[in-house]
Amino acid sequence: MKDIVLRISRIAKEAGQKLMTHFSLLGQAEVFHKGRIDLVTVADQESESYIKEALHAAYPEIGFHGEEGGGSVYDQGRLFVADPLDGTTNFVHGLPLFCVSIAYVVDGQPQAGVVYAPYFDEFFWAAKGEGAWHDGRRIHVSTTANLVDAELEFGFSCVRAGLKPDTMPIASDFVYRAQCIRALGSAALALCYVADGRFDGFWEYYIRPWDWAAAQIIIEEAGGKLTDFRGGPVDWRTGRVLASNGLLHEQMMAVFAERHQN
Ligand code: IPD
Ligand code: CA
């Protein structure tokens, strides 16, 4: 496991440096549409090719599941699960909230994960039983115990995917019950902020494994929880993710239960 952690750490940092060579310098010809508002850039593609090739060279026997190239089924066998650029829309608009995320997953259970935000040079990692770390410092989730004191993060991908239920009624419930809600535009990074206590909770409908797999182990090793909206394991096909410091989990689940959106 140590070897895998070191290797994915190095690869994520290298991929992050590759992203930085494009940041703020992208021309229109380097941005493409996967859907009406779903963007991909040459930076995503270069980063994923690099990650995929580097992992394959080191561990040819381990599968790969990546945002741009797709890949294996998430919950079977040994896999690397990577988002080469999480926060593509921010990246295109010159906002520095983006990251590279790589997880090592066995039968759907993340064993190790790294998240690197190159603009801020912030590095998060965790491995099963070894704690969660941010730039050499052990991290822990917040101790916020009441929703009214919580700063929460969410995302809109179900809207982008054209799926129902829409997240906005839930967002409006949380606006009135939490201290504040934010939408930073990089799920992997925001989930790491739950792990280190900057945020107290997170939710999103229809989020893909490359957005949460690395962060799941980072949150769990930091003492928090990442589940579906009912407190069970996340179904990677429907991607309903609720993360929190653990203390707020029941209170957040109750908001979903009231809306009958589980
Ligand atoms: C997206 C971001 C966003 C989240 C979406 C993701 P991408 O990833 O993490 O915050 O709301 O669900 O798809 O497209 O920038 O890699
Ligand atoms: Ca991405």
Side-chain angles (χ1 to χ4, degrees):
M1 179 72 86
K2 197 170 175 193
D3 183 65
I4 287 182
V5 172
L6 285 174
R7 184 85 58 168
I8 60 179
S9 302
R10 224 177 295 139
I11 292 172
K13 287 180 183 173
E14 186 63 32
Q17 292 318 314
K18 290 183 188 302
L19 295 181
M20 288 305 290
T21 65
H22 292 283
F23 184 52
S24 297
L25 299 171
L26 282 177
Q28 277 191 347
E30 293 165 309
V31 181
F32 316 100
H33 285 259
K34 292 196 273 189
R36 176 66 192 88
I37 53 171
D38 204 357
L39 304 177
V40 62
T41 71
V42 289
D44 301 63
Q45 292 165 341
E46 269 182 37
S47 174
E48 181 151 321
S49 302
Y50 166 72
I51 294 169
K52 192 173 177 178
E53 281 162 26
L55 288 172
H56 185 72
Y59 305 103
E61 71 287 6
I62 302 181
F64 184 80
H65 187 85
E67 172 156 20
E68 306 314 330
S72 324
V73 171
Y74 177 71
D75 54 359
Q76 287 168 26
R78 298 166 73 203
L79 273 186
F80 291 113
V81 179
D83 191 335
L85 197 185
D86 184 51
T88 301
T89 309
N90 285 348
F91 188 87
V92 168
H93 287 265
L95 282 171
L97 287 155
F98 60 87
C99 63
V100 177
S101 172
I102 306 176
Y104 171 57
V105 179
V106 178
D107 295 333
Q109 305 298 319
Q111 305 297 308
V114 300
V115 172
Y116 180 55
Y119 184 89
F120 303 105
D121 194 23
E122 284 196 279
F123 182 70
F124 298 87
W125 73 273
K128 212 162 190 93
E130 292 184 31
W133 301 81
H134 171 215
D135 294 340
R137 186 177 53 89
R138 186 100 189 238
I139 53 172
H140 301 280
V141 290
S142 71
T143 55
T144 306
N146 296 306
L147 204 47
V148 69
D149 299 316
E151 177 151 359
L152 306 177
E153 160 74 13
F154 77 117
F156 307 100
S157 46
C158 65
V159 179
R160 184 161 67 187
L163 295 178
K164 297 287 175 191
D166 193 302
T167 200
M168 297 321 286
I170 285 287
S172 102
D173 291 341
F174 280 118
V175 163
Y176 288 103
R177 294 177 202 201
Q179 193 172 71
C180 67
I181 67 172
R182 302 278 183 246
L184 296 190
S186 170
L189 198 54
L191 286 163
C192 288
Y193 292 174
V194 175
D196 78 0
R198 278 179 252 190
F199 284 133
D200 305 296
F202 170 101
W203 82 91
E204 186 160 351
Y205 288 88
Y206 196 67
I207 188 170
R208 311 308 300 273
W210 44 79
D211 294 315
W212 52 266
Q216 176 173 1
I217 181 93
I218 296 172
I219 287 186
E220 289 172 353
E221 288 291 322
K225 275 188 172 178
L226 189 148
T227 70
D228 68 9
F229 297 156
R230 290 178 168 169
V234 176
D235 176 345
W236 67 278
R237 290 176 188 82
T238 53
R240 294 171 170 199
V241 169
L242 173 62
S244 81
N245 62 7
L247 298 172
L248 293 170
H249 224 72
E250 292 287 333
Q251 292 166 62
M252 291 183 73
M253 275 163 43
V255 174
F256 286 94
E258 275 174 35
R259 281 270 170 196
H260 302 294
Q261 288 188 330
N262 289 290

